[in-house]
Amino acid sequence: PRQKPFPRSRKSRRRRTARLSMSSSDLVKTSTVSRQVCAIVLAGGVGKRMKADVPKQFLVLDGQTILHRSLELFLSLPEVTEVVLVVDESYHEDYVDLSSSRCQLHFASPGKERQDSVYNGLQKATVNDAGLICVHDAARPLVTPDEIRKVLNDADAHGAAVLGVPCKATVKESEDGSFVLRTIQRSRLWEVQTPQVVEKKVLTEGFDLVREQGLEVTDDVSIVEQLGKPVKLTMGEYTNIKITTPEDLPIAESILNARRSLS
């Protein structure tokens, strides 16, 4: 039988929400976002690289599934007016009760590629054209409220923003996969993360172009780049890792333990 992502007891869910709110409250700063915000949480991946019995977003991290940790964070933020969860239809009933009058939870089905999943989620967003679409990979459960607010503020001011960190590694370019073509100047490289936030009207316009020209994009702000519009880089944290391989889980657990020891 399919393993449930988390217990569906209302009482236990209230306890988990309360713990999340208390643990996050010290980190929350005042946001200046003046627009409606829709968070699209992507949880449609199959997680082949994890080599696990369930998709990576349903693995347990410190007592909660990875997806549950990411989803509850966005549902708890007062700036977020609605959340679209992109997940296989068979899981919809497990999350429907998390919707509230303050923050509605909608569902969309995953697409063949990441950009298709984002597009499906965008179709379910009900915020107005000036609203912000905040796309987040569920497999990044360690993003903080402060990081989310910073990237929302930058997108509010500039129309599009992406959370990221300066690249630490030396990066080589190769044409054939066997020999180095050149070394890319590290000072100009950023490792982008999520959330990636774009004005709804701009993202819709970008998807129209991408679909019309049959373009493939690997992240959301690449769509904005195709329009020739600016994207603000928002400084994030190196702890906002994406859980992709088995080695990532103990790293994530150590990050959570370190945060607890500082609180």
Side-chain angles (χ1 to χ4, degrees):
R2 174 166 63 83
Q3 178 185 354
K4 291 291 184 182
F6 55 88
R8 299 185 62 196
S9 157
R10 291 182 182 272
K11 186 175 181 180
S12 64
R13 193 158 55 237
R14 285 196 297 269
R15 286 199 298 265
R16 281 194 299 272
T17 304
R19 284 200 299 269
L20 176 72
S21 300
M22 287 186 288
S23 63
S24 301
S25 60
D26 293 337
L27 298 174
V28 175
K29 291 184 173 65
T30 302
S31 174
T32 60
V33 175
S34 59
R35 315 188 199 198
Q36 296 177 326
V37 177
C38 170
I40 297 177
V41 178
L42 302 176
V46 296
K48 292 180 179 178
R49 282 177 286 182
M50 281 299 297
K51 300 177 181 178
D53 294 333
V54 294
K56 61 188 174 186
Q57 60 270 27
F58 299 120
L59 294 175
V60 174
L61 172 63
D62 195 40
Q64 284 186 314
T65 65
I66 291 169
L67 171 55
H68 195 180
R69 184 175 292 273
S70 294
L71 183 59
E72 278 199 334
L73 174 57
F74 282 93
L75 286 169
S76 72
L77 290 177
E79 292 84 1
V80 177
T81 49
E82 65 179 358
V83 174
V84 178
L85 176 58
V86 182
V87 70
D88 187 84
E89 187 176 354
S90 62
Y91 290 101
H92 289 188
E93 66 177 30
D94 298 320
Y95 298 94
V96 67
D97 288 345
L98 293 180
S99 186
S100 68
S101 58
R102 187 200 67 79
C103 186
Q104 290 289 313
L105 177 62
H106 310 291
F107 296 94
S109 297
K112 182 179 179 182
E113 304 293 342
R114 185 185 191 279
Q115 68 189 65
D116 302 318
S117 293
V118 175
Y119 180 81
N120 291 347
L122 181 61
Q123 305 315 300
K124 300 291 185 176
T126 64
V127 296
N128 57 38
D129 283 346
L132 298 177
I133 303 297
C134 176
V135 184
H136 185 64
D137 292 327
R140 291 187 185 270
L142 302 181
V143 67
T144 65
D146 281 348
E147 289 176 286
I148 297 171
R149 287 197 164 97
K150 284 197 299 182
V151 73
L152 285 174
N153 288 340
D154 281 347
D156 191 28
H158 302 282
V162 56
L163 204 63
V165 289
C167 189
K168 291 182 177 180
T170 298
V171 179
K172 306 284 187 181
E173 182 181 355
S174 173
E175 283 187 327
D176 58 9
S178 297
F179 293 93
V180 172
L181 176 64
R182 66 186 176 107
T183 301
I184 301 175
Q185 188 176 348
R186 183 171 57 188
S187 62
R188 302 182 63 182
L189 298 178
W190 280 63
E191 180 183 343
V192 296
Q193 306 170 341
T194 64
Q196 301 190 13
V197 187
V198 184
E199 184 180 86
K200 183 182 180 183
K201 181 179 179 181
V202 173
L203 189 59
T204 301
E205 182 183 349
F207 264 117
D208 289 343
L209 177 66
V210 165
R211 294 168 74 84
E212 178 185 327
Q213 298 187 4
L215 302 175
E216 292 185 6
V217 292
T218 56
D219 71 349
D220 314 300
V221 293
S222 294
I223 296 174
V224 182
E225 295 169 41
Q226 293 292 333
L227 294 172
K229 295 181 181 292
V231 177
K232 180 71 170 67
L233 286 167
T234 302
M235 177 66 76
E237 299 178 15
Y238 289 97
T239 53
N240 183 19
I241 65 171
K242 186 174 183 179
I243 298 177
T244 305
T245 64
E247 295 79 13
D248 295 328
L249 270 176
I251 295 173
E253 289 169 355
S254 68
I255 292 170
L256 289 174
N257 289 334
R259 288 177 179 176
R260 271 194 293 267
S261 67
L262 295 174
S263 61

